[in-house]
Amino acid sequence: MKKSIVTLKPQYMNEFQCIGNACSDTCCSGWKVNIDKQTYKKYKKIKDREVATKIANYIKKENTLSTDNVACIQTNAGACVFLHDGLCEIQLKYGEEYLSKTCLTYPRVFNIVDQQVELSANMSCPETARLALLNQELMQFDVVEEMLDVRHIIKQKIETKQSVWNSCFWEIRTFTIEILQNRSYSVSDRLIFLGLFCEKLASVSSSENRSQIVNVVTEFRMRLDSSDTVKEISKLPHAYHVQLSIFKEILQTQTNIQHNRLRNYNNEALRAFDFESSDKDAILSKYTKGCNEYYVPFVNEHSYILENYLVNQVFHRLFLFKEGSNILEEYLRLAILFSTVRFYLQGVAVFEKKMTPEKAVDIIQAFSKSIEHSSSYLNLLSSKIMNTKVDKWAFLITLLKQ
């Protein structure tokens, strides 16, 4: 059932429509597809012999109390058995109302802030990635009234009156996006400045004095516009050998990547910097020379791609306000996603001796499809950083500095 709902969303969602079998990827390949209780009951009543046989053979009950995933579709050679010429066989025969909540929602992400619905999308969808990332202007947001299916999965909810910290949601979110869209800084330096801001917020996040938190926003807004801040960040030391050590290990452990394009990009990045060599100085030389020649000119001209990626992450993750997490964990995740995406872009640019906006979007989409949705990969990197005995905030800045 659909109803009219006032929704806050980035403008790229105004243009989004699933392009079906014209898509370069498929939503239902390589993933476990959950089936909610209501949809499962519908499927069990289907009389069509061919469809009913697939349901009996490939949809298996789950041992869970959640009504949103009482069963799941077992894939066949990594693909959903209901996939037909890039389209869903069930939707084609029975309509959208027969889609599970998972299939109905993806790639959309729904959150609710103070009863206000927020709609955005994952970049693992080629079409949303193209629309969001190739926009050269600052990402803007609209409040519109539209017809939405009430069955969509709500990812997160937040009430700003729930705590002193939550009451600062809009000040913090608005300023975070201001930081990420400030083109006076490189994208890496914007993320470093955001880290300094988050570190200060962490020191006051448990305060019962709202003005103490808001004052941090005011202080850093002044610092953002200061030429002294630009100089301060520019003087931070580079530690390419640390970055290379981390990502060499990560790339070499990604041997079971299911996504064909990302597996190819992973191999290209490994070969670009000759990670099989034991000569660390030679690896570092290839990295710095190659990046300066092929990656830096590209990112200087097309930094909006990474900027849009980060802004979208902040918006759809309700950055710094995810229930059960803390500020360091939230910033850590953002820093990991960005630095890994950047490293893939660098590796492919050096290997292919060029980079284009379309190729960059393709890499980010493949990364999002295969790794961004993988808790195991993100947990691996997070644990490596959290288990280091050095200062975590300083280490993250080391990871980001270019």
Side-chain angles (χ1 to χ4, degrees):
M1 181 181 74
K2 292 187 177 183
K3 69 176 184 177
S4 180
I5 299 175
V6 176
T7 307
L8 172 65
K9 61 181 181 179
Q11 288 179 345
Y12 71 82
M13 289 303 294
N14 292 329
E15 302 177 56
F16 171 67
Q17 283 188 330
C18 177
I19 58 175
N21 56 5
C23 188
S24 61
D25 211 333
T26 56
C27 308
C28 39
S29 64
W31 285 345
K32 173 184 174 183
V33 180
N34 292 326
I35 306 295
D36 57 278
K37 186 176 182 179
Q38 183 182 358
T39 304
Y40 183 69
K41 286 182 177 179
K42 287 182 180 179
Y43 287 178
K44 298 301 285 185
K45 294 179 181 178
I46 289 177
K47 302 301 182 184
D48 181 289
R49 179 176 295 179
E50 183 180 354
V51 176
T53 299
K54 288 182 180 179
I55 289 171
N57 291 336
Y58 290 100
I59 295 186
K60 304 300 181 183
K61 288 291 294 289
E62 294 275 75
N63 185 21
T64 176
L65 297 176
S66 171
T67 58
D68 282 342
N69 52 311
V70 299
C72 71
I73 301 175
Q74 306 292 310
T75 58
N76 183 16
C80 177
V81 294
F82 298 106
L83 189 64
H84 180 73
D85 292 334
L87 299 171
C88 175
E89 180 182 1
I90 290 179
Q91 183 178 2
L92 288 171
K93 288 186 175 182
Y94 302 101
E96 190 177 79
E97 62 270 21
Y98 269 71
L99 288 175
S100 70
K101 286 185 177 182
T102 299
C103 297
L104 177 70
T105 301
Y106 182 82
R108 302 165 189 83
V109 177
F110 289 90
N111 294 316
I112 296 180
V113 179
D114 290 340
Q115 312 306 313
Q116 167 77 67
V117 172
E118 296 190 348
L119 167 61
S120 54
N122 289 295
M123 294 297 96
S124 49
C125 165
E127 184 65 3
T128 56
R130 183 186 68 81
L131 292 171
L133 302 180
L134 290 180
N135 172 33
Q136 298 186 35
E137 305 301 321
L138 299 181
M139 186 179 289
Q140 301 289 334
F141 300 83
D142 290 337
V143 177
V144 297
E145 189 170 344
E146 59 182 301
M147 299 298 293
L148 295 174
D149 196 307
V150 297
R151 295 192 301 127
H152 283 298
I153 295 172
I154 303 300
K155 186 176 181 182
Q156 298 181 75
K157 294 182 180 181
I158 182 175
E159 293 286 343
T160 59
K161 294 180 181 179
Q162 192 173 32
S163 66
V164 172
W165 173 253
N166 281 8
S167 73
C168 302
F169 172 81
W170 286 106
E171 288 93 341
I172 292 172
R173 174 193 256 185
T174 300
F175 183 55
T176 296
I177 292 176
E178 283 180 29
I179 294 171
L180 295 176
Q181 292 184 329
N182 189 315
R183 296 181 178 180
S184 300
Y185 296 80
S186 70
V187 180
S188 296
D189 286 354
R190 294 176 223 176
L191 206 51
I192 289 173
F193 185 86
L194 178 61
L196 299 174
F197 174 57
C198 289
E199 183 180 18
K200 187 63 177 287
L201 282 178
S203 69
V204 299
S205 60
S206 59
S207 174
E208 293 301 317
N209 184 348
R210 186 179 188 278
S211 62
Q212 190 174 6
I213 300 173
V214 174
N215 285 343
V216 173
V217 178
T218 303
E219 173 197 341
F220 273 78
R221 181 169 274 118
M222 293 175 63
R223 289 179 61 180
L224 184 63
D225 295 329
S226 169
S227 58
D228 291 338
T229 303
V230 178
K231 294 176 183 177
E232 179 186 343
I233 294 178
S234 68
K235 291 179 181 177
L236 291 171
H238 299 90
Y240 295 141
H241 61 289
V242 175
Q243 296 176 15
L244 285 168
S245 175
I246 291 173
F247 289 109
K248 175 184 177 181
E249 183 176 348
I250 294 302
L251 291 175
Q252 289 179 332
T253 58
Q254 295 299 306
T255 56
N256 61 341
I257 295 175
Q258 299 298 313
H259 197 282
N260 289 336
R261 281 184 288 116
L262 186 65
R263 184 166 60 249
N264 291 336
Y265 292 142
N266 195 82
N267 291 336
E268 288 186 1
L270 279 169
R271 293 162 64 187
F273 305 123
D274 194 18
F275 275 146
E276 297 301 322
S277 170
S278 58
D279 188 339
K280 293 183 179 179
D281 290 336
I283 293 173
L284 180 61
S285 177
K286 279 195 171 185
Y287 175 77
T288 53
K289 182 177 184 298
C291 286
N292 286 333
E293 189 168 352
Y294 300 109
Y295 171 76
V296 172
F298 168 79
V299 80
N300 285 344
E301 184 176 356
H302 304 286
S303 63
Y304 58 86
I305 294 175
L306 289 170
E307 172 190 304
N308 289 335
Y309 174 74
L310 289 170
V311 172
N312 194 67
Q313 288 283 337
V314 163
F315 183 77
H316 86 69
R317 292 186 182 278
L318 299 183
F319 181 65
L320 301 185
F321 292 86
K322 182 181 178 182
E323 187 176 359
S325 65
N326 60 47
I327 293 173
L328 175 58
E329 290 172 349
E330 286 285 284
Y331 179 71
L332 171 62
R333 183 184 179 93
L334 189 67
I336 286 173
L337 289 173
F338 170 78
S339 55
T340 310
V341 163
R342 183 182 62 189
F343 194 78
Y344 272 113
L345 293 177
Q346 291 169 336
V348 174
V350 173
F351 181 83
E352 298 187 3
K353 293 184 169 50
K354 64 178 180 179
M355 179 55 63
T356 65
E358 293 73 22
K359 174 70 76 173
V361 170
D362 194 65
I363 292 169
I364 292 172
Q365 182 272 322
F367 170 83
S368 298
K369 180 74 182 290
S370 182
I371 291 179
E372 196 175 309
H373 293 266
S374 169
S375 58
S376 60
Y377 172 84
L378 295 173
N379 290 340
L380 170 65
L381 264 180
S382 297
S383 63
K384 288 178 73 68
I385 294 172
M386 293 300 285
N387 290 333
T388 59
K389 295 182 180 180
V390 299
D391 179 87
K392 307 299 186 297
W393 295 101
F395 186 85
L396 287 171
I397 288 174
T398 297
L399 189 66
L400 293 166
K401 182 61 181 173
Q402 286 284 287

